[in-house]
Amino acid sequence: GLDVRGRDREWVVKLSKDPKEDPKQYWRDVQMQMEARMWAQRYNEKHPPKAVDFIAAYVLELVDREGQPLCGVETFISGSYRKWNNNWDWSD
């Protein structure tokens, strides 16, 4: 589950840029991420040279904000990385 206590807990909160975004999209994104995680676990059961994983994702309701918007939440992963795609397209 989501535990916000402790100094080692840093989170990434994702809000849609589109104010008309269907709130159900946040739930679909979490479902997709958890399904990808399940497939990664099945892959890892075959003992590949390198294991893969997908971090857990959550939906958070901001109850103190007007309209009580939803947002996506993931654990912050420190370090540098290259982003190969976004939600709409591949990037270079």
Side-chain angles (χ1 to χ4, degrees):
L2 184 61
D3 185 359
V4 297
R5 294 167 288 165
R7 281 195 255 172
D8 64 331
R9 292 298 188 177
E10 295 184 49
W11 304 95
V12 175
V13 176
K14 299 178 177 184
L15 291 163
S16 176
K17 292 179 183 179
D18 179 1
K20 296 179 184 175
E21 179 77 64
D22 182 356
K24 292 178 185 174
Q25 185 60 47
Y26 291 104
W27 297 102
R28 289 189 290 261
D29 290 347
V30 168
Q31 181 180 6
M32 181 269 315
Q33 186 126 339
M34 294 299 91
E35 187 166 334
R37 190 174 203 193
M38 180 214 42
W39 286 110
Q41 289 169 345
R42 287 187 181 181
Y43 172 77
N44 293 335
E45 289 171 1
K46 306 294 183 190
H47 307 288
K50 260 191 174 174
V52 296
D53 195 9
F54 286 81
I55 60 174
Y58 307 91
V59 175
L60 180 67
E61 182 179 15
L62 302 175
V63 297
D64 293 334
R65 288 200 181 178
E66 184 179 330
Q68 299 178 322
L70 298 180
C71 59
V73 179
E74 298 174 356
T75 304
F76 174 75
I77 300 174
S78 64
S80 61
Y81 65 94
R82 181 166 180 175
K83 187 168 181 158
W84 292 97
N85 67 351
N86 60 28
N87 292 343
W88 300 276
D89 202 356
W90 293 96
S91 63
D92 291 326

